[in-house]
């Protein structure tokens, strides 16, 4: 159980010296939204929205970075896990850790090689149960599937081998059996596109012959019938599927090959040839009929900006809370780290996920051309400080790392974002490290108390507006177990919208797990009589309240009042 300490806020001159302290560099500018993570390399994004949150999954480039000793090129071969982030405001992202695909697919034996480029979908099955599926590229030779009952797992492999390989009907000849893109239609039927690589011996630059699409079977873990070849001009990789306005929309990345044969394409409709390694799309009403696909052009031209991720890219188009967003990867975080002298100059190809707002005409399935930006998107909602907020939720950060919350499950190893599952996270910080959350709305009444859940030994400050601002709340942490520390604050100062920096000003190993404010006027403590049932409230790992009777699998956060009237909290399965 957690201990709880009530301490007085230290807002006096003794704290002013910390404002001049050297803070960790910002590799992601605190005024910009891209990339979504300031410290995790990840790529090939996919997304689902569920119960008001958007969950983004990607290839765990950090695993290869660590395997390479944080230098050298990204060869992808040691990436055997996937990452998960989520948001409800598009700016503050919760990192949920890694999915250990190698462990989940251990029964595959030699058939398992790597996990790249996931594609996520979910549906409510005929039994009324929500099911979540992650399709992934098993290197370049096959496609696997994982299954779960929640968007953050726990995940399992429903098969003892890849779902699609060279022996799957309709697949051969296909140079690269990878980069799946899945979608579920209005009838609950699943569809999957995949494929890529250089042209077949019988193909050409214009028609490489490597694009495939198929219907998924009722279980979503196999194909219903054969895969068919789609006529995708200059296809190279990065298949994705959407259904917009009732029509299938297929997106993909084009090759570097010449465009001398473009004018032989009768379906070009007067459009110019797509630039090398650009993102293009096609539409169809009957996806298994190759002749039905209509080429619609490129929506992300290759402008030769290698700093934003070119040579290649992998995009996912997603509608969330009424707006369309395009997710993609770039190398802007790698570039920023190198410019700051915090990354070996020989390291290269470590990607990061970004997002920009897209404009889509649903009635015509037109995706307007767009340019990828550093600025990214703006917040579409405020953060509620009166709900429990995970420390892993942030817009930017400096000098932090993630570790498993070892107090929850025994024998949980420290996470390196490598080959271990990391469902239960805490943020490791040292003097000078910081995190940032944006558009936190304390309302008009303001907050009277502020709590942080932490362990270690050091000082943690909450600062408003700037990293170097004077502290608005200070916590002295001294515990070898996760404990709740609470300070009283001035409601007049804790009102309205704030950008908050959580800064560690002393200590080498401070671990933050969560924080929460108490709204002024709601502090009354209820009398609890011995023997009466305790009061409980449960939250998911994103800090969202779970309604009574609502099913929730995986780790949850439980806040409760014990029989002595003491408020406590814990995480558990």
């Amino acid at each position: 159980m957690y201990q709880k300490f009530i301490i007085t806020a230290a807002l006096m001159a003794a704290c002013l010296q910390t404002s001049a302290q050297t803070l960790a560099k910002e590799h992601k500018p605190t005024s910009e939204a891209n990339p979504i993570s300031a410290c995790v390399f990840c790529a090939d994004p996919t997304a689902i929205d569920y119960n008001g949150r958007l969950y983004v999954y990607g290839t765990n480039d950090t695993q290869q970075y660590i395997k390479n000793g944080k230098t050298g090129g990204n060869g992808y071969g040691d990436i055997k896990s996937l990452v998960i982030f989520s948001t409800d405001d598009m700016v503050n992202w919760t990192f949920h850790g890694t999915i250990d695909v190698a462990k989940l697919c251990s029964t595959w034996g030699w058939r398992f090689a790597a996990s790249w480029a996931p594609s996520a979908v979910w549906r409510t099955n005929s039994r009324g149960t929500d099911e979540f599926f992650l399709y992934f590229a098993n290197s370049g030779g096959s496609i696997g599937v994982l299954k779960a009952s929640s968007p953050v797992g726990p995940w399992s492999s429903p098969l003892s081998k890849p779902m699609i390989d060279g022996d799957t009907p309709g697949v051969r000849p296909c140079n690269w059996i990878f980069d799946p893109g899945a979608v579920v239609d209005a009838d609950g039927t699943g569809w999957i596109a995949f494929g890529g690589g250089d042209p077949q011996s019988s193909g050409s630059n214009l028609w490489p012959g490597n694009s495939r699409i198929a219907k998924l079977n009722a279980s979503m873990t196999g194909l219903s019938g054969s895969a068919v070849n789609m006529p995708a001009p200059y296809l190279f990789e990065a298949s994705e599927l959407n259904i917009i306005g009732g029509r299938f929309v297929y997106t993909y990345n084009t090759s570097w090959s010449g465009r001398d044969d473009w004018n032989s394409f009768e379906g070009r409709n007067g459009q110019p040839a797509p630039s090398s390694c650009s993102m293009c799309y096609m539409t169809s009403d009957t996806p298994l009929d190759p002749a039905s696909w209509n080429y619609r052009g490129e929506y992300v031209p290759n402008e030769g900006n290698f700093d934003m991720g070119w040579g290649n890219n992998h995009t996912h188009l997603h509608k969330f809370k009424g707006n369309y967003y395009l997710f993609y990867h770039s190398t802007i975080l790698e570039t920023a780290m190198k410019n700051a002298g915090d990354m070996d100059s020989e390291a290269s190809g470590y990607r990061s996920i970004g997002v920009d707002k897209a404009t889509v005409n649903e009635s015509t399935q037109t995706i307007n051309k767009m340019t990828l930006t550093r600025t990214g998107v703006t917040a579409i909602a405020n953060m509620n400080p009166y709900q429990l907020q995970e420390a892993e939720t942030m817009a930017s950060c400096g000098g932090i790392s993630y570790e498993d919350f070892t107090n929850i499950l025994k024998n949980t190893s420290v996470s390196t974002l490598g080959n271990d599952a990391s469902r239960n996270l805490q943020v490791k910080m040292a003097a000078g490290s910081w995190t940032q959350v944006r558009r936190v709305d304390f309302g008009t009444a303001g907050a009277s108390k502020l709590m942080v859940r932490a362990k270690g030994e050091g000082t943690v400050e909450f600062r408003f507006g700037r990293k170097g601002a004077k502290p608005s709340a200070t916590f002295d942490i001294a515990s070898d177990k996760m404990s709740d520390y609470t300070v009283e604050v001035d409601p007049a100062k804790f009102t309205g919208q704030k950008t908050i920096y959580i800064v560690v000003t002393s200590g080498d190993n401070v671990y933050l797990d969560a924080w929460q404010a108490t709204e002024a006027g709601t502090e009354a403590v209820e009398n609890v009589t011995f023997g009466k049932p305790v009061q409980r409230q449960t939250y998911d790992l994103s800090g969202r309240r779970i309604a009574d009777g609502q099913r929730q699998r995986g780790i949850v956060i439980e806040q409760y009042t014990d029989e002595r009237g003491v408020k406590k909290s814990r995480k558990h399965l």
Side-chain angles (χ1 to χ4, degrees), residues 477-504:
I477 308 301
S479 175
D480 59 358
K481 294 183 179 180
M482 274 294 171
S483 305
D484 290 355
Y485 294 80
T486 300
V487 299
E488 296 178 355
V489 296
D490 182 358
K493 295 181 179 179
F494 279 73
T495 58
Q497 289 185 19
K498 307 289 186 185
T499 295
I500 296 177
Y501 292 88
I502 304 175
V503 183
V504 171

Side-chain angles (χ1 to χ4, degrees), residues 59-95:
T59 304
N60 185 7
D61 278 19
T62 292
Q63 184 171 14
Q64 186 73 62
Y65 183 53
I66 292 171
K67 185 71 174 181
N68 286 358
K70 299 185 178 182
T71 188
N74 185 358
Y76 317 121
D78 290 301
I79 301 176
K80 304 176 188 298
S81 56
L82 303 170
V83 297
I84 312 177
F85 291 87
S86 75
T87 186
D88 61 1
D89 61 21
M90 298 301 298
V91 170
N92 297 301
W93 291 88
T94 303
F95 180 55

Side-chain angles (χ1 to χ4, degrees), residues 541-561:
L541 284 179
S542 304
R544 187 177 65 247
R545 186 171 176 173
I546 301 170
D548 293 341
Q550 180 180 343
R551 292 184 61 189
Q552 180 73 17
R553 299 191 180 185
I555 301 295
V556 297
I557 305 163
E558 184 180 67
Q559 293 183 317
Y560 63 98
T561 304

Side-chain angles (χ1 to χ4, degrees), residues 169-171 194 211-215 226-230 287-290 293:
V171 170
F194 57 93
S211 52
R212 300 289 184 273
I213 189 168
K215 182 188 292 188
S226 297
V228 300
N229 184 23
M230 288 184 293
L288 296 182
D289 176 9
W293 286 98

Side-chain angles (χ1 to χ4, degrees), residues 82-286:
L82 303 170
V83 297
I84 312 177
F85 291 87
S86 75
T87 186
D88 61 1
D89 61 21
M90 298 301 298
V91 170
N92 297 301
W93 291 88
T94 303
F95 180 55
H96 296 283
T98 60
I99 304 170
D100 187 352
V101 183
K103 182 177 180 180
L104 296 175
C105 299
S106 59
T107 58
W108 292 19
W110 61 268
R111 294 180 179 88
F112 177 79
S115 54
W116 309 335
S119 184
V121 294
W122 75 275
R123 68 171 184 179
T124 302
N125 62 25
S126 58
R127 300 183 301 276
T129 302
D130 293 342
E131 299 177 314
F132 300 81
F133 299 89
L134 265 178
Y135 303 93
F136 65 92
N138 180 34
S139 189
S142 61
I143 292 168
V145 59
L146 303 177
K147 185 178 179 181
S149 57
S150 90
V152 294
W155 297 89
S156 63
S157 174
L159 305 175
S160 58
K161 62 179 182 178
M163 186 183 80
I164 299 172
D165 59 21
D167 293 329
T168 302
V171 170
R172 285 180 175 161
C174 182
N175 282 346
W176 296 344
I177 306 169
F178 80 155
D179 284 9
V183 72
V184 176
D185 66 22
D187 296 326
T189 301
W191 301 81
I192 189 166
F194 57 93
D198 294 325
Q200 297 289 333
S201 58
S202 59
S204 64
N205 289 339
L206 178 60
W207 304 119
N210 293 315
S211 52
R212 300 289 184 273
I213 189 168
K215 182 188 292 188
L216 291 166
N217 62 17
S219 70
M220 301 277 287
T221 60
L223 301 190
S224 176
S226 297
V228 300
N229 184 23
M230 288 184 293
Y234 303 117
L235 168 95
F236 188 68
E237 59 185 347
S239 295
E240 271 286 0
L241 282 175
N242 285 86
I243 296 178
I244 301 175
R247 181 167 291 170
F248 286 79
V249 178
Y250 171 65
T251 63
Y252 65 98
N253 181 255
T254 65
S255 67
W256 286 271
S257 63
R259 303 299 196 243
D260 295 342
D261 48 1
W262 176 246
N263 289 336
S264 67
F265 176 31
E266 295 181 357
R268 65 188 185 279
N269 298 319
Q271 298 183 75
S275 53
S276 297
C277 219
S278 63
M279 298 303 304
C280 294
Y281 73 113
M282 307 192 304
T283 59
S284 172
D285 291 314
T286 52

